[in-house]
Amino acid sequence: MPNQDAIQAVIKTSLTGYDLINKPMLNKGMAFTASERDTFRLHGLLPPHVGTIDEQAERRLKILRAFSTDFERYAFLRDLQDTNETLFYHVLVHHLEELLPLVYTPTVGEGCQHFSEIWRKPRGLFLSYPNKQRIREILADPRFDRVRVIVVSDGERILGLGDQGAGGMGIPIGKLSLYTGCAGIHPELTLPILLDVGTNNRERLTNPLYIGWRHERIVGAEYDGFVEEFVSAVIERWPDVLLQWEDFAGANAGRLLQKYRDRLCTFNDDIQGTAAIAAGTLLAAINVTGIPLQEQRIAVLGAGSAGCGISSLLLRAVVDAGVSEAQARKAFFLVDRNGLLVEGMEGLTAAQAPFVQSREAIKGWNTDASSHIGLLDVMRHAKPTVLIGVSGQAGAFAEDVVRTMAQNVARPVIFPLSNPTSRSEATPQQLLEWTDGRALIGTGSPFAPVLWQGKSVHIDQTNNSYVFPGVGLGVLAVGAKRVTDAMFMAAAKAVAAMSPTVKDKTASLLPPVDQLREVSIAVAKAVALQAQVDGVAAACDEAEVERCIEAFVWEPTYLPYELA
């Protein structure tokens, strides 16, 4: 099994004085002991008080909570991460519910939009097109020797906000913060990377403070060649690395995953992670509705990489439940910008093709336009039990759409998953009002509880953070060579198994956010076991899997230091 050396009892370092306290992963601030201050020549550089990490956390939280905006809190946390990484993760781990929306969605979207304005210290790598020939040289730096997980983006489709160019680096940084905060993967094993291939965002290009390559996006053979150079260099540098693709545009996301998934251990979180949490939340909702998976009718608004990824995983789940694939496909209704996907439609992608409805199936539909069948038409005629939104279009679940759905379903399952909050297809308040409180809701970004008929209704955040940290932990724990679709199905089922609805049908669909560490460990175990079934990891017993997972989980506490 993989030997993981991140967990130490003592840290040995030759750094002293300013060099030591300016190293984020080594800085302990006023928590350096008196003897450590003697050994490492820190007297005078620090106030005389010797504190604890809990005192430091209390001090930082007091400042954090005094800010007036979430963006200010985001910037403060980024500074803390770049100053004292152990303290940053200590605060995050012990206040996940409060800090998750600040470290990641929805606030990270604004962080990406203003990344150039708040950038202060290097974190991760910017690989720009003009430096194509230097990629191997850049990756070769010895400080990256221990890297095991990379999250990479090209910044073209940041959440629902579009092209943010180099500012998209906020996404890999945020995602890897959750790998550590939720799954305990040591920060030194992680590396955020931004492929800077230019931007078509005129606001970024004309901003004198923009930190990226000032050039329109390269496309076609140039783009593919750059990505190939990057992937080849990664495989050469770290043959066993886990590489996560993040926020690539639909035209590239699916094809890059298919191109590289058999060359290295890799997955696309927007496609596979989103699919897994949607599937897991739907399985939890079935505990409430009582409608078995094989009887569900599923409408998806947004037939890009995320929508097709969700549909593909759910299709596999329906088939596994005993329905033929041909019959199962008939229960999926994917709606894109040109309406419901139907046979003969121009411009269908390979990912969309399995989900087209036949002309025969819809010939009896009384629609307003024969060439464009909208979401409302689907509600009227298909009578779906589940409605999922990954369109990036605020308000796309219009009132008439939701009310029509609710007329035909006792407990409509509705997941507006687009991020950030400003791009959600509908608000939870609207969905409860339009369904007379009957909707089972999961949102991509966090929403405050909604008051409905005098009761506070908790809103489940159907967010990928329930899945991808545990997937990464499971992959690393058993040294999986590839990431399979079955591993994501295992992750979805692990999340569903932890749903409070297993014991109480009136409870929330998902475990509370402050239990994400426990969820990640459960997901990791399921993924690790499935990796063995799929033949992409060495066989070992369940007890050994659990030991390997435990060995990878880092707790953000200060360790004693010795001079190397």
Side-chain angles (χ1 to χ4, degrees), residues 315-542:
L315 175 66
R316 182 50 47 196
V318 175
V319 171
D320 289 346
V323 180
S324 71
E325 183 164 337
Q327 188 63 30
R329 288 179 179 180
K330 296 179 181 178
F332 287 82
F333 302 86
L334 275 61
V335 180
D336 211 14
R337 62 176 59 88
N338 294 320
L340 177 69
L341 303 187
V342 295
E343 62 181 357
M345 181 180 283
E346 293 183 0
L348 289 172
T349 67
Q352 293 171 338
F355 300 103
V356 297
Q357 287 288 324
S358 68
R359 294 288 180 180
E360 179 69 21
I362 63 170
K363 70 176 183 179
W365 289 21
N366 180 20
T367 63
D368 297 330
S370 58
S371 60
H372 183 101
I373 301 174
L375 187 59
L376 180 58
D377 297 316
V378 172
M379 295 299 121
R380 288 170 175 164
H381 298 283
K383 298 179 173 56
T385 56
V386 179
L387 174 58
I388 298 172
V390 282
S391 67
Q393 301 298 314
F397 290 171
E399 181 175 356
D400 55 354
V401 166
V402 176
R403 288 192 180 278
T404 301
M405 180 184 186
Q407 289 173 2
N408 301 306
V409 186
R411 298 300 304 272
V413 177
I414 306 178
F415 299 158
L417 300 183
S418 291
N419 288 314
T421 309
S422 61
R423 301 289 174 144
S424 183
E425 285 80 6
T427 68
Q429 183 75 54
Q430 291 170 329
L431 296 177
L432 287 175
E433 290 177 358
W434 298 339
T435 63
D436 297 323
R438 292 181 285 121
L440 296 172
I441 303 168
T443 59
S445 282
F447 279 86
V450 173
L451 189 64
W452 174 255
Q453 295 185 344
K455 294 183 179 180
S456 179
V457 179
H458 171 78
I459 305 301
D460 288 291
Q461 186 183 352
T462 308
N463 192 280
N464 298 26
S465 55
Y466 280 91
V467 172
F468 73 82
V471 170
L473 178 58
V475 166
L476 266 59
V478 296
K481 300 301 182 184
R482 298 289 183 268
V483 182
T484 67
D485 291 335
M487 290 158 70
F488 278 98
M489 182 64 75
K493 292 178 179 178
V495 172
M498 296 187 71
S499 169
T501 61
V502 172
K503 297 180 179 179
D504 180 2
K505 291 186 177 182
T506 66
S508 299
L509 297 177
L510 295 172
V513 169
D514 61 11
Q515 291 181 13
L516 276 178
R517 275 220 159 188
E518 293 92 327
V519 173
S520 294
I521 290 171
V523 168
K525 180 179 176 180
V527 166
L529 293 173
Q530 186 63 47
Q532 297 177 59
V533 173
D534 293 343
V536 296
C540 64
D541 61 28
E542 190 170 328

Side-chain angles (χ1 to χ4, degrees), residues 202-215:
R202 302 310 302 175
E203 186 178 352
R204 300 291 165 268
L205 290 174
T206 58
N207 181 355
L209 300 180
Y210 181 58
I211 63 173
W213 181 42
R214 294 177 184 273
H215 194 281

